[in-house]
Amino acid sequence: MKLSIIPKESGRAKASALFFVKQSIQFSDVLSEAGEKQVESALKSMKDGIFSDLEFLEIDGKATFFVDAAKERGLSGLDHLRMAGYRLAKVAAQKQIPVVSLMLADAATEQFKAIAHGLAYADYKFDAYKSKKKESFQVTFEIVAGTQVAAFKKIAADVAVEQKAVTLAKNLVNTPAADMTPADFVDRAKTIAKFTQGLSIKVRDMKQLQKEGFMGHVTVGKGSSRPPFMVTISYDGTKFASATAMRSAAAVKREARTSADHLVIVGKGLCFDTGGLCLKPPKSMPEMISDMTGAATALAAIQAIATLKLPLKVSAVLCLAENAIGNTSVLPGDIFTAKNGKTVMVDNTDAEGRLVLSDGLAEAGLIGATHIIDIATLTGAMVRALGYAVTGFFANDDDLALNTINAGEACCEKFWSMPLEEEYADALKDKFADLKNTGSDAGAISAALFLQEFVPENTAWAHWDIAGTAFVTKKWKYTEYGATGFGVQTLIEMARRLSATVDKDYAESEYKQV
């Protein structure tokens, strides 16, 4: 898929597309009087069931797609546009139409961004292991933007960066575990750090983890022949603030603000999770390639944040291990001392993600985090509570919680705030150790309460449990099967908003600053 953003039609398009909601055509004031009558008749026919979404009709002498921008239930207006763009791109490629014109001169910037994301999602495929690969037909979407050409080009550039990050996360997750071991993941992280301006990387292997007391990784990973690693990737966007921000009073305030904030993204990276000695059921095993989605999401997000040169200090801590069965595997009842000095009894070896995350949270504190977001496919309880469409999250800071919800809405990713209910905290106490890694029947809450024990003092923290939204086995929105890339765009958007905290109008006006 290619985007060509122009002020008026070029005459190259072989077809055009009109987005409609019920009986109303969106974004187009360019139809002739006869064309408007044709559209009115077509929409009535669709209402009567004669035609369907993506019907191919002739309007004003031109072949025209009618795209329903309110087809699915439960989606926001922006996500309807994403889905409309996604379906349009799929059909245009199937029909092998080389150039499709979209009349978007009257669209708001966030509406164009939603459509651009939808068009881009249609390009994704994971065929690295197919013996015969199908060549995708390349469609150019000609965006008729009127006076908004410059703003739309800036948006298109940002969408390209964000979609590259989503693709990276999806590819990492969809790769079989035999080819995406902790060491393989480290190699990918090193390559990204090397070729992305502004990124630096620190890798701790098993020996260093033991020496420095990051025993969560050691405890989980010692049973596997593929040893664990903890990777810290750092980006200091304050160095780019002068070059990227407009030299206004608000921009100067923004630079001062970003010098104090440090967002650290901690990602669970279980490259495969057998459950350890508390073995998982066979039917759930194949999906465990996705148990490193948190680390994949964190890596993808920081690559995009650095590429966009957002004026904020950001780090990503990737907690990489394999939970396998071996003669050195952690045993139920074993006790270890975590990095922050608390002792932990391993009650269930399949509750391993929170153990490696305890190290990641400690590392976030050591490198000076002011804001921490940990992201993990952590509990089946969250899947049972909220399913595949909504991520449940916990936060100890109201501003960070609100930022999560608002940034998610802007990126068409749904978040639901869950309670850090202290009444369940006593269930984490152990007779011999300070804590055990399982608690009450409220599994997702207990996991979050456990993690809270390792959050550095005076630090804003949010825990995203993406167990339901990270990976799907049936079609969901723009994912046919496998990794969804959920969370990548919201993390990028949160970094944007954190870097713009002082200037509240910045997030809404950024695309006009070209």
Side-chain angles (χ1 to χ4, degrees), residues 19 27 81-82 85 102 104 111-120:
F19 294 90
F27 316 134
L81 289 173
R82 285 193 181 207
L102 276 66
L104 299 180
Q111 292 173 318
F112 167 63
K113 186 174 185 179
I115 292 169
H117 269 300
L119 296 172

Side-chain angles (χ1 to χ4, degrees), residues 18-19 25-30 69 81 102-108 111-112 115 144:
L18 293 175
F19 294 90
I25 290 292
Q26 308 291 300
F27 316 134
S28 182
D29 290 330
V30 297
L81 289 173
L102 276 66
M103 305 297 182
L104 299 180
D106 296 330
Q111 292 173 318
F112 167 63
I115 292 169
V144 181

Side-chain angles (χ1 to χ4, degrees), residues 5 27 129 144 173 228 254 264 286 451 484 492 499:
I5 300 171
F27 316 134
Y129 293 85
V144 181
V173 175
R254 210 160 39 240
V264 179
L451 292 175
T484 65
I492 298 166
S499 67

Side-chain angles (χ1 to χ4, degrees), residues 443-456:
I445 297 175
S446 292
L449 290 169
F450 179 89
L451 292 175
Q452 191 176 33
E453 294 286 336
F454 303 92
V455 175

Side-chain angles (χ1 to χ4, degrees), residues 37 61 112 147 197 201 207 289 302 329 349 436 482 486 493:
K37 289 181 179 180
F112 167 63
T147 60
Q197 184 184 8
I201 187 169
K207 184 177 180 181
I289 62 170
I302 198 168
S329 293
T349 65
K436 57 182 177 180
F486 186 100
E493 182 63 21

Side-chain angles (χ1 to χ4, degrees), residues 146-310:
T147 60
Q148 300 196 82
V149 170
F152 279 16
K153 284 185 176 180
K154 173 65 170 66
I155 294 171
D158 285 1
V159 167
V161 172
E162 293 174 18
Q163 282 292 322
K164 181 180 178 182
V166 171
T167 296
L168 169 63
K170 286 183 173 183
N171 287 347
L172 288 170
V173 175
N174 288 334
T175 300
D179 296 333
M180 190 52 63
T181 66
D184 292 322
F185 202 119
V186 169
D187 288 342
R188 291 294 299 274
K190 285 180 177 178
T191 299
I192 287 169
K194 180 179 179 180
F195 291 103
T196 305
Q197 184 184 8
L199 293 184
S200 60
I201 187 169
K202 179 178 182 177
V203 179
R204 292 180 175 93
D205 60 15
M206 175 69 105
K207 184 177 180 181
Q208 291 165 307
L209 291 166
Q210 288 178 309
K211 181 179 179 180
E212 296 183 40
F214 291 105
M215 297 306 294
H217 281 69
V218 174
T219 298
V220 172
K222 66 182 181 178
S224 173
S225 61
R226 297 159 172 164
F229 296 86
M230 186 165 70
V231 178
T232 302
I233 302 175
S234 300
Y235 162 76
D236 188 356
T238 60
K239 297 177 181 178
F240 298 108
S242 296
T244 58
M246 295 182 68
R247 299 303 299 169
S248 64
V252 173
K253 289 180 182 178
R254 210 160 39 240
E255 290 176 34
R257 169 74 183 186
T258 56
S259 65
D261 285 343
H262 183 184
L263 171 63
V264 179
I265 307 164
V266 179
K268 174 188 173 184
L270 267 293
C271 293
F272 197 80
D273 178 19
T274 66
L277 293 177
C278 301
L279 191 66
K280 290 181 180 292
K283 286 186 178 180
S284 65
M285 284 279 197
E287 293 178 39
M288 288 302 104
I289 62 170
S290 68
D291 214 20
M292 37 67 80
T293 301
T297 303
L299 177 60
I302 198 168
Q303 180 196 41
I305 289 165
T307 302
L308 293 168
K309 293 184 170 58
L310 297 184

